[in-house]
Amino acid sequence: MKMWLFLAVAFAGTAFGVTPEERLAYYCSTYDSCRTQFLRASDKLIHRLTKEEAQKVQRGNWKVPSNVDQNLYTDWLYLPATKAPKRLILITSGTHGVEGFMGSAVQKYLLDEVLATYDRSTTGVIVVHAINPYGFKYLRRVSENNVDLNRNFDTDRDFFKFHNAGYAKLEELLNPKTTVRYTYWSGTKFLASVLRLLATEKMATLRTATLQGQYEYPRGIYYGGKDFEPQKGLVESFMDEKAGSYPVVMHLDLHTGYGTKAFMHLFPNVIKDEGTVKLMKQVFRGYPMEDAAGEDFYETKGDFTLYTTKRMLELKKRVVPMVLEYGTNDNQGTRGGIESLRMSIVENQLHHHGARAPHVAKQIKQDFLELYFPKSKKWRMTTMETTVKWVPVFLNRFREIE
């Protein structure tokens, strides 16, 4: 990172009374500690508001049904507009469970340093922590039913009929039915298999076939389910109620994994609505958005922000959706892409078929977590510095929409 940017961000942090190093404390190592931190930060924020504002704040949680854990909660905080409700911001984390650590840290930053002084006269804010608490707690991207929630949201059930022909051709490679052999030779064998595929197919073709989502292999990676997971109904009733009086809604969904290491990528959804595209360009100008028509862009079925966009348009609202994805492994390239795919396969194989020894299972879980929540102090500081520099800008620009 450029020295001038580091100094600028460091100065900004000091101005708020929080240094970049101190923000490292925003990162927690477990779902339970992240949840506790979110709840405490919410309390702290409410206490900083005027008595009149604090009385109007709403907070609560959804208990997510589970057969293995009765303490899985999605928590939320709603700060309504204090005067005329014109705009609503929704900020969600943990849609892909294990990715929730970064999202939780960003939400902690917003609660501590931004929202108490944010002008909410005409703009309400909702912060939702851990859309997928099972995956968050048990270090999986998917729900307890092996469903990828970011392939499970839509306004119409017809998308469950989608047949991913590219995935079907690769299913044997993507979903091994044997005990995991997590060795140098198994990794070399997988690399050789993928390279043979790439001799006839582009990396973008392979990426689309796998990441797009599939609805036919319940124990496979990127499984979108046969029906909606409970979160869809919970989110829909909640959003319909809270967004009711707001003409304009922005949804920021926080993710990690794909993209350049330590870079905050902006992924717009691919809905062809001119008003939505115009608003996205207005709010996010000056920061590079991924090109939805580019070769490296992949469209997914059941995408969460695409769903909220469709839903808000159905309710005759204008909408500004965006995925903020913090890259971890340079997996937009061939080498990183192959390694990330292999880790997705191995983690899923471990869950369904086990490992040859406990230490193998432990290593796989550690490596999988590293893929979505790097231990690197430099990675954590750089991603938070980018967040501090740009996210308040986006929030302020959204407030300017008439």
Side-chain angles (χ1 to χ4, degrees), residues 82-271:
T82 56
K83 295 179 181 178
K86 294 183 178 181
R87 306 165 210 88
L88 179 66
I89 299 168
L90 171 66
I91 305 169
T92 53
S93 70
T95 305
H96 281 145
V98 70
E99 300 177 21
F101 295 99
M102 179 68 201
S104 181
V106 171
Q107 291 176 327
K108 165 70 169 171
Y109 154 69
L110 292 171
L111 292 170
D112 277 7
E113 300 184 46
V114 177
L115 296 181
T117 57
Y118 184 69
D119 182 0
R120 293 186 294 104
S121 56
T122 57
T123 306
V125 182
I126 299 174
V127 186
V128 182
H129 184 266
I131 292 290
N132 175 12
Y134 169 84
F136 201 158
K137 188 169 185 176
Y138 292 96
L139 306 183
R140 304 204 72 209
R141 291 179 78 250
V142 296
S143 74
E144 185 174 330
N145 301 316
N146 203 53
V147 171
D148 183 329
L149 292 186
N150 218 33
R151 310 294 185 276
N152 186 253
F153 277 89
D154 207 301
T155 57
D156 192 318
R157 293 179 183 274
D158 283 349
F159 83 105
F160 288 113
K161 301 174 184 177
F162 170 69
H163 171 64
N164 189 333
Y167 187 103
K169 292 179 181 178
L170 301 174
E171 197 274 331
E172 189 173 330
L173 171 68
L174 299 176
N175 302 312
K177 311 300 191 298
T178 58
T179 301
V180 178
R181 297 177 63 88
Y182 196 52
T183 65
Y184 170 80
W185 295 112
S186 64
T188 301
K189 182 179 178 181
F190 177 78
L191 176 61
S193 298
V194 174
L195 291 177
R196 282 196 296 270
L197 281 172
L198 294 179
T200 57
E201 301 286 350
K202 292 181 179 180
M203 187 63 188
T205 303
L206 175 61
R207 185 179 291 126
T208 298
T210 53
L211 301 181
Q212 191 172 29
Q214 56 88 13
Y215 300 85
E216 299 173 63
Y217 305 97
R219 302 183 89 182
I221 61 173
Y222 299 108
Y223 176 58
K226 295 294 185 184
D227 202 349
F228 295 119
E229 289 288 278
Q231 283 89 335
K232 192 266 184 179
L234 295 169
V235 167
E236 185 163 300
S237 58
F238 178 81
M239 281 298 296
D240 285 0
E241 175 191 350
K242 301 302 182 212
S245 57
Y246 294 91
V248 190
V249 178
M250 178 165 73
H251 181 192
L252 304 180
D253 194 28
L254 305 169
H255 288 257
T256 61
Y258 182 80
T260 302
K261 193 169 187 176
F263 184 76
M264 184 181 75
H265 292 264
L266 299 187
F267 285 104
N269 63 43
V270 294
I271 195 162

Side-chain angles (χ1 to χ4, degrees), residues 1 4-14 18 20 23 381 384-386 388-389:
M1 184 177 64
W4 67 266
L5 177 56
F6 178 83
L7 293 173
V9 174
F11 178 81
T14 304
V18 182
R23 290 195 182 100
M381 287 185 64
M384 188 58 71
E385 287 161 8
T386 305
V388 171
K389 179 181 180 183

